[in-house]
Amino acid sequence: MSAEATTTFHTAADAATTAAAIQKVLADNKAKVLGQSPDGSQIDFQTKKTLFNWELVGRATVVPAASDSDVHLSLNVHHNRPPALMDGAKNRKAVEKLAGQIQAAIE
C-alpha cells in the first residue's frame, strides 16, 4: 500500500526563480536536502519529524517552459518508518501545504 502523495502546479516564474523558492521553503521548514541536480531542477529532501508525523521523503522537480515553469512534488513516509493507516491522507495534506508555501514564496 503506497502512501505517496503527489501534486503538480504551474508558475509564471522561470525555473531558476522557482528552484530558489523551493530551496528557501525547504530551509524555512528545516527540511534536510538529501541531494539535487547540478542545475537545481530536481531536489530530494527529508522533512523534520514532528509530534504527530514521522519524517517524510520528497522530491521537487522543476520543469522549465518558455518563460515559466511547472513544479512536480511528491512526498512519502520515510522507508525506515512503519506504515500507518492515515499516512495517505497526512501525506496529501502535507504535499498540498508545501505546494502552497512554494507558490506564496514565488509571488
Side-chain angles (χ1 to χ4, degrees), residues 48-85:
K48 274 182 39 175
K49 178 181 172 186
T50 66
L51 183 61
F52 298 107
N53 294 313
W54 292 112
E55 303 94 333
L56 300 175
V57 290
R59 174 171 283 172
T61 305
V62 179
V63 180
S67 63
D68 49 8
S69 54
D70 293 320
V71 178
H72 305 284
L73 293 173
S74 65
L75 284 176
N76 204 351
V77 176
H78 194 281
H79 63 278
N80 288 336
R81 299 300 183 188
L85 184 59

